[in-house]
């Protein structure tokens, strides 16, 4: 399976358990790998068969603006669901890092992998 990747996407969102975290947007870094069959785009040179990564980036930014989460786990799963369903990707890997949580670390976070089958019943 081919992949489209987006690395070190800087976003800001309301996330966290503590009251101050629910009031102040925090910087985070997102890395994405999205499964995509690129053979038809390669064979035809037709943009309609590509995964438009600019649209994916815009959707991630909009998600960050419009949603608030307590946990990185729920943030990540909700974002994965939206991207899989909106862009019809068969699978993705998503890493989300908070950059200001632990001062001794550049970032801390989680990584998940999801497939379209994980959300098929929704």
């Amino acid at each position: 399976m081919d992949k489209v990747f987006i690395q070190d996407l800087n976003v800001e969102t309301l996330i966290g358990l503590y009251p101050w975290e629910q009031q102040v947007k925090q910087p985070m870094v997102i890395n994405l790998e999205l499964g995509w069959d690129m053979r038809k785009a390669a064979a035809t040179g037709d943009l309609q068969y590509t995964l438009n990564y600019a649209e994916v980036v815009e959707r991630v930014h909009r998600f960050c603006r419009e949603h608030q989460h307590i946990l990185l786990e729920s943030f990540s799963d909700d974002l994965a669901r939206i991207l899989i369903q909106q862009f019809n990707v068969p699978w993705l890997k998503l890493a989300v890092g908070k950059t200001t949580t632990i001062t001794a670390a550049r970032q801390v976070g989680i990584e998940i992998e999801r497939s379209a089958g994980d959300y098929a019943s929704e």
Side-chain angles (χ1 to χ4, degrees), residues 11-16 20-22 24-28 98-101:
V11 300
E12 289 188 341
T13 193
L14 293 173
I15 190 163
W20 72 266
E21 292 177 305
Q22 297 169 17
V24 178
K25 289 186 177 184
Q26 295 183 62
M28 298 195 311
K98 291 176 86 174
T99 60
T100 58
T101 302

Side-chain angles (χ1 to χ4, degrees), residues 13-77:
T13 193
L14 293 173
I15 190 163
L17 174 64
Y18 300 109
W20 72 266
E21 292 177 305
Q22 297 169 17
Q23 301 295 321
V24 178
K25 289 186 177 184
Q26 295 183 62
M28 298 195 311
V29 176
I30 294 178
N31 288 291
L32 274 167
E33 293 182 11
L34 304 113
W36 193 258
D37 187 345
M38 298 180 198
R39 291 175 290 187
K40 195 165 187 179
T44 64
D46 193 333
L47 186 63
Q48 73 173 324
Y49 300 116
T50 64
L51 178 59
N52 186 325
Y53 48 82
E55 288 180 6
V56 173
V57 166
E58 174 50 38
R59 186 62 182 102
V60 171
H61 280 291
R62 189 173 54 180
F63 174 83
C64 291
R65 285 191 308 269
E66 295 174 352
H67 295 86
Q68 180 174 349
H69 292 84
I70 293 173
L71 299 176
L72 281 177
E73 290 82 355
S74 56
F75 173 93
S76 300
D77 193 62

Side-chain angles (χ1 to χ4, degrees), residues 98-114:
K98 291 176 86 174
T99 60
T100 58
T101 302
I102 306 294
T103 57
R106 187 168 48 92
Q107 61 179 282
V108 297
I110 65 170
E111 181 176 274
I112 65 171
E113 291 186 44
R114 297 290 186 267

